[in-house]
Amino acid sequence: GGGGGGGGGGVSPSASPALLADACSAAAHYFASQLDGAKDAPLLQRLKGGLREFEADLLWAYHGFGRNEVSHLRLGFYKGERFTEEPTRRDARPILAALEETRPDVVTVAFDPEGSGPDTHFKVLQAVAEALRLWREGDPEAARAVRVWGYRNVWFRFTVAEATHAVACSPADTAALNDSFAACFLSQLDASFPSPEYDGPFSHLAQMAQARQYAEFATLLGADAFAAHSCRELRAAHALVLLREMGLDEFLASARELQRAASAD
């Protein structure tokens, strides 16, 4: 791919409906003529980025979070290039500002090694790690109390030994997963670059992974560990979401180890 010229100019917020319709028509023609993975014109990059942010806002709203509770930090390393640049302190500073403002006790981050999926996951992990290091330097007491929850989804998996928490999911939970994905992420229902495991919605792929994780636990513990459990939620479970909880020192050491492994490769 590459290229990505055209796209026209911007549209003023006060533009007439006819001008807006013309701009939408031009954008539709532009996208129809582009190859998947090709770099887009800057205006169209902003349009696509705004659409992804809107879709994320829809999912948060699905769970009751308002727009003023969500921040899209637009880290500088992501420019739509085929190979994104390495994150720097420039990318850590907006995250650091959010940490200082909210003073969280839990930080969640995709804990994917480099090369396991979109490289932005790994680079955001490194930017978050750098922001937490800077936070520890400036406010060691607050940073020391934070717990980091690493999660993996469709691109990479935790082994049973690596996970510290397993969250049970019922058929109702996975139905809600698929419904929310279909309702909120319309631009991602047909992935341009699907997983080699499954050519379909990522929510279906996540459900398949969670079902396999449940089967692994049922094999280790015995099926009755779930079916005969006194907890109704565990009796209803047919899938498990695995998490790895880490203290700050463990997380930073793990992030460095992942970075060293990527550099060695």
Side-chain angles (χ1 to χ4, degrees), residues 5-213:
V11 177
S12 166
S14 60
S16 68
L19 185 58
L20 181 60
D22 288 344
C24 290
S25 177
H29 174 75
Y30 170 86
F31 286 124
S33 65
Q34 283 292 89
L35 296 174
D36 289 339
K39 183 179 179 181
D40 292 306
L43 174 65
L44 275 301
Q45 287 183 24
R46 291 196 297 273
L47 176 64
K48 291 172 71 173
L51 176 61
R52 288 297 179 88
E53 290 177 356
F54 175 67
E55 289 177 333
D57 290 341
L58 289 178
L59 183 64
W60 284 115
Y62 193 96
H63 295 287
F65 291 87
R67 180 64 186 86
N68 61 349
E69 297 175 278
V70 181
S71 298
H72 301 289
L73 301 184
R74 303 182 181 182
L75 302 186
F77 74 83
Y78 188 73
K79 295 183 172 69
E81 302 286 353
R82 183 174 293 276
F83 298 102
T84 55
E85 63 188 58
E86 293 298 321
T88 65
R89 284 205 169 189
R90 168 205 61 194
D91 304 292
R93 288 190 187 102
I95 304 173
L96 174 62
L99 291 170
E100 291 173 336
E101 179 182 356
T102 60
R103 299 177 65 83
D105 48 18
V106 173
V107 173
T108 66
V109 63
F111 203 63
D112 292 340
E114 188 170 42
S116 61
D119 66 348
T120 50
H121 290 195
F122 177 75
K123 289 174 179 176
V124 167
L125 166 66
Q126 296 304 325
V128 170
E130 179 62 18
L132 286 168
R133 288 188 195 101
L134 294 172
W135 193 31
R136 184 174 62 180
E137 291 174 7
D139 192 347
E141 183 176 349
R144 187 165 46 246
V146 77
R147 308 297 294 175
V148 179
W149 288 3
Y151 64 88
R152 290 172 176 169
N153 200 0
V154 300
W155 298 109
F156 209 71
R157 321 268 195 272
F158 286 121
T159 65
V160 172
E162 290 173 320
T164 61
H165 294 64
V167 182
C169 301
S170 69
D173 294 325
T174 48
L177 166 70
N178 287 312
D179 178 73
S180 61
F181 187 84
C184 301
F185 293 99
L186 294 180
S187 75
Q188 301 181 57
L189 285 179
D190 296 317
S192 301
F193 301 98
S195 165
E197 295 182 44
Y198 179 72
D199 187 3
F202 284 129
S203 62
H204 292 179
L205 186 60
Q207 181 180 352
M208 292 160 57
Q210 293 160 14
R212 285 198 296 270
Q213 289 164 176

